[in-house]
Amino acid sequence: MNPGSGFNGVFFRLLGPLQVEAGSEQVHIPPGRQQVILRALLLEAGRTVSTDHLVDVTWDCDPPDTARTQVQICVSRLRKSLAPLGTPLLTSPPGYLLRVEPEAVDVHLSRILAERAGEAVAGGRPEEAVALLRRAAGLWRGPSLGGPSGRLLRPLADRLDEDRASLVEAYLDLELELGRHDLVVGEIDDLVRRYPLRERLRYQLMLALHRSGRRAEALRVYRRGRELSTAELGREPGPELRALEAAVLAGESPPDPDPAPAAPAAPVAVPAPRSRAGAPCPRQLPADTADFSGRGEQAAALEAALTGPGRGGGRAALCAVVGLPGVGKSALAVHVAHRLARAGFPDGQLYCDLRGGSGTPLDPARALARFLRALGVPDRALPEGLGPRARMYRDLLARRRVLVLLDDAADDRQVADLLPPGPGCAAIVTGRSGLAGIPGADLVELDVLPQDQALELLRRVIGPERTDADPEAAAELLGTVGRLPLALRIVAARLVARPHWSLASMVARLADERHRLDQLSHGGLTVRAGLVPGYEGLAPDARRTLRLFALADGPGQPGWAAGALLDDRRPRPDELLEPLVDARMLAADGTDAAGGPRYRFHDVVRLFARERLAEEETESERREAAARLVGGWLFLAEEADLRTGGGSGRIGAGGRWRPPPADAVLRDPAAWLSADRSRLCAAVDLAADHGLDELCWNLALALVPLFHRRGYLREWDRVNDRAAEAVRAAANRRGAAAVAYSRGCLDLDRRRPADARAAFEEALAVFGELGDVTGRAWCTWGLARLERAAGRREHALELCGRALRDFQEVGDPDGEGRALMLSGHLRTAAGAVDAGEADLARALTLYERTGDPRGRARVLSRMGRMARDLGDERRALRLLTEARELDGGEERVPRTVPGPRDLGDRDGTAARAPEQA
C-alpha cells in the first residue's frame, strides 16, 4: 500500500494541501469550490455524501439561492477531471458517491496502517509496528485538509492533526520500549521545540535522555517544561512528568511510560496463524526491503548454509552476519529470511531485535519470553529465569522447522540460549562483532557495496532517469558516501523527497566534510545515530584510540601510528587497534613493509571519529599527537635515507618519535618508500594543518633524497608546496630557505637550471644571514654543479672549494666527500689528472672511515669512468665492478640533484639532506 498504488494508480492527498496524483503526474483541480467538494467526497470515500452537506461545507452554512445548482456544476467539472483517471464520480441520491478504495486516500490509509500497527504490537512485533506508524505519520505534508477556515471542517482538521501527534507519540513509545533511546533523542528534541506544551513528548524526551545517561539534560527539559506550563497554562506539570523527575533526581530506573494509543482507531483483532499440527505458527519477520539490491553472493552463501545438503550436522544451521554500522546486515538477513520462510521453515519465523548496539542490550530472558508467547505459551505458564525459559524454548523447537532471526546481537553470549536446537531449524544472527564464537556458525562479513551494486541501488530508489542523466555526479555521490548502504539510502531518500534537486547539487551539499554527517540524515534515518552506540560501547582507551587515529590521513595506516598518536611505546602498537577492528569501527587493510597489518577507516566512520576528536580532545592534545605521528614518519624517512647511502646526520632527535618496529619496516627502504609515499605526503599535510612548521619542513626535506632516487617528482612538488605554506605562515626563515633549497633540487631534476639557480641563491642568502654554515655549504655546492654544467669550470672549482671548507667546519664527511668528488671531476676535465685523482682518493678515504658503502661506490664509479676515459680499461673494469658490488647493483634514476645533509633547525637538531652522486 504505497501512496500512488490505489484505485487505478491514483492517490488522493488531504493531509496537507489537496493533491491528486496519477502515477508521477499531478492532476490539477482548480482551487475554490471544486477542491472543497472533492475534499468532502474523499473524506467519505465509497459512501454517499448528500447535496445538502456539500452545500453547507462549501458555503459554511450560509449558502446563496443558487447553491445546489452551483454544486451540480462543480460536480460535473470534477467528473470530467476524474473520468480519465478511472475514478467514477456517481450520482447517488440524495447526493453523490466517489468510488475510490480507502487505501487510495491518505486520510484512510493512515488509519489502516495504524490498525495494522496495533495488530503487530499484539503479535509481539514492535519493530514492524514502528515502521507502520512512521509510515502513517509520514503521510502528513502540512496542516490537515489544507488548513480550512470553515466551521464545519475546522474541527475535523484539528482532530486529524491530533491523530498525527498520537501516531508520533505511539511510535516513539515503541522505540523507547525497544531501547533505542540514543537514536530518537534528536527527533524527540525537535518535536518538543515545535510543540513545547505537549507533556507526552516532553516525558519521552526526559526518558530517552535519562536512559542514555544524560540526567542533567533530562532535568533541564523538565524545568523548561514547568516554566512553560505555569506561564502559559497556569498549572504545574502532570503527575507522569513529576514522577519521572523524581526518579531522575533519585538516580532510579524510571518506569516505562503508559502506552499512548497505537492508532486513532481501535486495532482489529486478528487470530494468530497456526501450523499444520495446530500449534501456533509465528510470522514475526519485519517487512522485506521493497527495493533490496545487490548482495547476491552473500545472499546465496547464507541460503546455501541454511538449507544446503549436510547443513547443521544434526544441529540447527547457523549463520552470523557481521559488519560496520549501516552496511546492511539487517536488510540482508531479513531479505534472505523472507526467501526461505515459506518453503524451508513452514512452522514459522521468530524475530527479535537484541539491541546489541544500543548500549543496553536486551536481556535474553526477555527475548525468550517473547518467543515463548509467540509459540503459544500463555503468560501464566511462563517460567521465571533464563535457564527454565531456555529449556522450554529448546523443547518446543526440537521437533519443528522454525527460522530464527536474531538481529543486532551484542556478542555470542547474548544469543547462546536463543539459538534453536533441532536439525530442522536454522538461525541468522546479525551484529557488529563478537559472533565468531558461535559454535558451528558460518560467518558472512559485509563490506560496503561494490560500485555497480551501489549504483543499482541508487537507480532503484530515485529512478534510472535521474541517475542516468548525470552518471558522473552519480559516481561522485557514491564515492562521497563511501558506498555505505545506509548513507546511500539516506541520500536517495532526500533526493526522492526533493525531485527538483539534481545529483550534482546533492554532491555539493556533501562536499564539506565538517558537515557531511549533518547532511546524512532524513526522517528517522541518520548515519551518526547508528555510530554512537558502537562508539559509546567501547572502553575509554579504545574510544581515545579511535579519535586520535582519525588524525592520520591517507589510505590504510600502519599499526605503529597508533603508538605514536597515543605516545604508547609497546612493542606491538597494533594491539591498540584490534578492539576497534572487533567493533567494526576499523578494518584491516593489507600489510605494511614489516608484514604487520594496516588499518583503515570507512570514510563515514572517519568523519564521525573526527567529530568526536574535535569535541573530546583539546587543541593542544590534538597538536601533540600529530607531532608524534609526523615525528615517526620523519624518523623513518631519515633512517631510510641512511640505509640507502645517505650521509651521516643526527637521527632520532628534536621531536622525532621512533616507531618500535622501525628495523623491520625498513628491511627494504625502497619498497617501503614505494608503498608509503602517499602516507608520507599526508604526514606533511598533517604537520602543516596543525602549525607544526619545524616538523613540516624537516619531513619535506628528508623526503628529497628518497623522492629523487625513485623519480617521484609529483609528490616532491606537492610536499614542497605544503611546507612552503607552513613556514610562510610561521615566518620561519630557516624553514623557508630549506624549502627553497629543496625546490632548487627539484628544478635540477626537471632540467630547469635557471629556476634552480634562483632557488639556490635565494636559500644561500638566507642561510648566510642566519649563519647556517651547513645550509650555506649545500647551496654553494649546488651552485657549483650548475656552474660545471654551464661550462664555467673555474667558477665551479671556486664554489666547490667554499663548500668543502664549510663542510669541514661543520664536520660533515658526506658533504666533504661530495665536494671532493666534484672538484676531482672538474680538475681532471681541466687536464690536472693528478690533482683530480688526489681529490677522489681523499673522498674515498672519508667514506671508508665513516663506513658508507654507497659513498665508496660513488667515488669508485667516478674513478672507474676516469680510468676508462684515460684508456686504462683494465683498471676501469676493476673499479666499476667493485662499485657495483658495493652498491648492490640497484638500478636508479640518473642522479643530478645536489642535496643537503643536516640543515640545522632552530633547536640545533638536524634536518636530513638528499643523496647526490
Side-chain angles (χ1 to χ4, degrees), residues 501-691:
W501 282 12
S502 67
L503 271 66
S505 71
M506 191 72 245
V507 171
R509 291 172 186 274
L510 294 168
D512 187 347
E513 287 191 353
R514 295 169 300 175
H515 303 294
R516 187 173 297 166
L517 289 182
D518 296 327
Q519 295 291 331
L520 293 177
S521 175
H522 181 76
L525 294 175
T526 68
V527 170
R528 186 185 283 111
L531 295 169
V532 167
Y535 173 77
E536 295 185 347
L538 295 170
D541 289 347
R543 290 201 295 268
R544 186 157 197 259
T545 302
L546 181 78
R547 295 193 298 269
L548 291 178
F549 201 66
L551 277 170
D553 213 341
Q557 296 291 326
W560 68 259
L565 288 161
L566 279 85
D567 201 14
D568 187 312
R569 298 178 184 270
R570 68 182 68 192
R572 292 298 306 271
D574 53 5
E575 295 170 353
L576 295 163
L577 299 170
E578 287 303 320
L580 302 179
V581 175
D582 293 339
R584 296 307 189 273
M585 303 298 266
L586 285 180
D589 188 41
T591 57
D592 62 15
R598 281 202 180 98
Y599 302 86
R600 64 172 172 83
F601 279 104
H602 182 274
D603 293 344
V604 171
V605 180
R606 185 196 300 277
L607 295 175
F608 174 80
R610 285 183 172 172
E611 282 189 350
R612 294 294 176 161
L613 177 71
E615 293 173 6
E616 300 181 40
E617 302 285 339
T618 66
E619 182 179 355
S620 173
E621 289 169 333
R622 297 194 298 270
R623 194 171 188 271
E624 289 170 3
R628 290 191 296 271
L629 179 60
V630 177
W633 287 113
L634 176 56
F635 175 88
L636 291 175
E638 291 180 335
E639 185 71 9
D641 182 25
L642 274 182
R643 297 184 186 203
T644 51
S648 61
R650 297 181 60 186
I651 304 301
R656 292 147 179 79
W657 196 94
R658 179 180 179 127
D663 291 335
V665 168
L666 295 176
R667 276 196 296 258
D668 185 344
W672 167 80
L673 175 65
S674 177
D676 275 345
R677 67 182 186 273
S678 61
R679 282 167 277 274
L680 286 159
C681 293
V684 173
D685 292 335
L686 182 65
D689 292 341
H690 285 80

Side-chain angles (χ1 to χ4, degrees), residues 111 140 144 154-164:
R111 292 180 180 275
W140 270 260
S144 299
R154 187 184 301 115
L156 176 58
D158 292 343
R159 196 158 60 248
L160 288 171
D161 287 337
E162 182 62 28
D163 285 348
R164 180 185 185 277

Side-chain angles (χ1 to χ4, degrees), residues 184-199:
V184 296
V185 163
E187 181 180 0
I188 307 175
D189 183 59
D190 181 61
L191 289 166
V192 169
R193 293 175 191 276
R194 290 158 55 191
Y195 308 106
L197 294 176
R198 290 193 72 91
E199 287 199 351

